[in-house]
């Protein structure tokens, strides 16, 4: 009878060992996939963060360019007004000279 218990426990251990062996690969595969998914999510998060930083830099550069463009337009307007004033003064001077000489 004691030999029967030993044989029965050996058979139970054999089946338990086969069960563990069979499902260990699936368990490790799930762990590996979860790890890969976590790594992929971290990489995606880093990519999105980098993309946001680059987009912010582009917006800042565009804002600087737009500001500079407005400054140039104002300066061109000021120079145009200055040229018109000079031209008016010159024309007035020439008109007065013509009136005096006539």
């Amino acid at each position: 009878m004691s030999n029967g218990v030993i044989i029965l426990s050996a058979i139970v251990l054999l089946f338990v060992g086969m069960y563990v062996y069979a499902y260990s690969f699936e368990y490790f595969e799930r762990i590996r996939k979860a790890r890969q998914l976590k790594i992929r999510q971290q990489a995606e998060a880093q990519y999105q963060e980098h993309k946001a930083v680059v987009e912010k830099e582009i917006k800042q550069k565009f804002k600087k360019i737009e500001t500079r463009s407005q400054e140039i337009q104002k300066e061109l307007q000021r120079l145009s007004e200055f040229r018109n004033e000079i031209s008016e003064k010159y024309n007035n001077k020439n008109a007065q000279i013509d009136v005096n000489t006539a």
Side-chain angles (χ1 to χ4, degrees):
M1 177 83 176
S2 66
N3 288 340
V5 172
I6 293 175
I7 292 174
L8 187 59
S9 15
I11 291 174
V12 167
L13 284 175
L14 178 67
F15 279 107
V16 168
M18 289 185 343
Y19 178 80
V20 169
Y21 179 76
Y23 285 104
S24 65
F25 292 108
E26 292 179 16
Y27 175 74
F28 289 129
E29 185 67 26
R30 274 188 273 147
I31 290 174
R32 188 174 21 252
K33 284 183 181 180
R35 192 176 304 139
Q36 288 174 349
L37 178 64
K38 185 177 179 182
I39 290 171
R40 235 182 275 133
Q41 288 174 341
Q42 287 175 345
E44 181 67 26
Q46 275 184 327
Y47 174 73
Q48 293 298 331
E49 184 179 317
H50 176 70
K51 188 176 175 182
V53 168
V54 168
E55 188 173 321
K56 184 178 179 183
E57 289 175 0
I58 289 172
K59 284 182 181 180
Q60 287 176 345
K61 286 180 183 179
F62 181 75
K63 188 175 180 181
K64 283 174 93 175
I65 290 171
E66 187 67 28
T67 304
R68 182 65 181 138
S69 175
Q70 289 174 355
E71 289 173 0
I72 290 171
Q73 290 297 326
K74 287 179 184 177
E75 185 66 19
L76 288 173
Q77 182 67 31
R78 188 187 68 76
L79 289 173
S80 174
E81 290 172 1
F82 180 71
R83 184 186 68 199
N84 289 340
E85 287 176 14
I86 300 265
S87 149
E88 286 177 14
K89 285 181 183 178
Y90 180 75
N91 288 339
N92 288 341
K93 224 181 221 186
N94 284 342
Q96 287 176 355
I97 291 174
D98 288 341
V99 170
N100 291 339
T101 57

